[in-house]
Amino acid sequence: MNPLDNRPEPPSQADEWATLNGFLDHLRATVRWKVADLGPGQLMQTHPPSKLTMIGLVRHLAYVEDVWSNVVLWGGKPVPPWDGVDWDVDGDWEFDSALVEPPEASFELWHTAVDRSRDLIAAAHAEGGMERLAEGSRPDGLRPNVRWILVHLIEEYSRHCGHLDLLRESIDGRVGE
């Protein structure tokens, strides 16, 4: 654990599976740390000209977890609420819908998606290791393997943790890695 913020530290001497999952869990904990102790108004606050909000990013990460672990990796159908979204009408639905529901709904959605994602990725890894190919495909039609999906999730979280860091600093001055 990082003594400054109670986030789990990724292992420094582990195999690929443990290392990648360690970094992903560290970034998931960073999201929790960045949104901690904020009220609904702060979580929904925009910072023009951007429309990004902290709670919108949390809901977006729930969507990312579900799409890559369920739809792409296992070839599954989108789960609620993603199954009812008309993305052609609102391509930013996950960001927009986060502003019309209590923040607790987005947090619950994200926690559930993270738990489901961990289970689905672990099951795929148990079935075929890091080389196990996805049942579904990326938007370009290519089928990634478990390794690619883990690295992609790390990339998504890294980028959005940077956004959360800037948003948090602008809300109350709290900074940190």
Side-chain angles (χ1 to χ4, degrees):
M1 292 284 194
N2 184 326
L4 300 176
D5 54 42
N6 295 320
R7 290 177 298 156
E9 285 293 326
S12 59
Q13 297 179 1
D15 65 12
E16 182 181 27
W17 172 252
T19 300
L20 292 177
N21 277 285
F23 271 94
L24 184 53
D25 283 339
H26 177 78
L27 291 165
R28 287 168 173 152
T30 300
V31 171
R32 285 191 299 276
W33 181 49
K34 289 297 174 182
V35 300
D37 306 321
L38 293 175
Q42 293 168 310
L43 291 165
M44 295 179 176
Q45 184 176 337
T46 60
H47 304 272
S50 175
K51 293 184 351 179
L52 281 181
T53 63
M54 294 189 85
I55 201 63
L57 285 166
V58 168
R59 186 167 277 234
H60 171 71
L61 289 167
Y63 174 68
V64 166
E65 293 269 8
D66 275 335
V67 165
W68 289 101
S69 66
N70 175 38
V71 177
V72 176
L73 183 57
W74 284 97
K77 299 282 186 213
V79 298
W82 321 118
D83 62 341
V85 177
D86 185 345
W87 296 102
D88 293 329
V89 171
D90 186 358
D92 289 331
W93 184 86
E94 74 270 39
F95 294 102
D96 297 338
S97 65
L99 300 178
V100 297
E101 293 188 21
E104 295 78 22
S106 292
F107 287 127
E108 179 61 30
L109 186 64
W110 179 58
H111 292 298
T112 300
V114 167
D115 290 343
R116 184 172 36 249
S117 181
R118 275 192 187 110
D119 291 345
L120 291 170
I121 293 170
H125 181 262
E127 193 177 90
M130 297 298 261
E131 299 301 323
R132 194 254 196 208
L133 288 178
E135 302 290 325
S137 63
R138 302 179 339 180
D140 61 9
L142 298 175
R143 290 174 53 206
N145 60 23
V146 169
R147 176 185 298 103
W148 191 97
I149 289 171
L150 281 170
V151 171
H152 180 67
L153 288 172
I154 291 167
E155 180 269 332
E156 280 276 343
Y157 271 91
S158 296
R159 183 166 31 119
H160 296 315
C161 282
H163 294 132
L164 289 168
D165 194 39
L166 293 170
L167 293 172
R168 181 64 189 244
E169 184 177 6
S170 70
I171 289 170
D172 67 0
R174 185 185 207 183
V175 297
E177 68 176 73

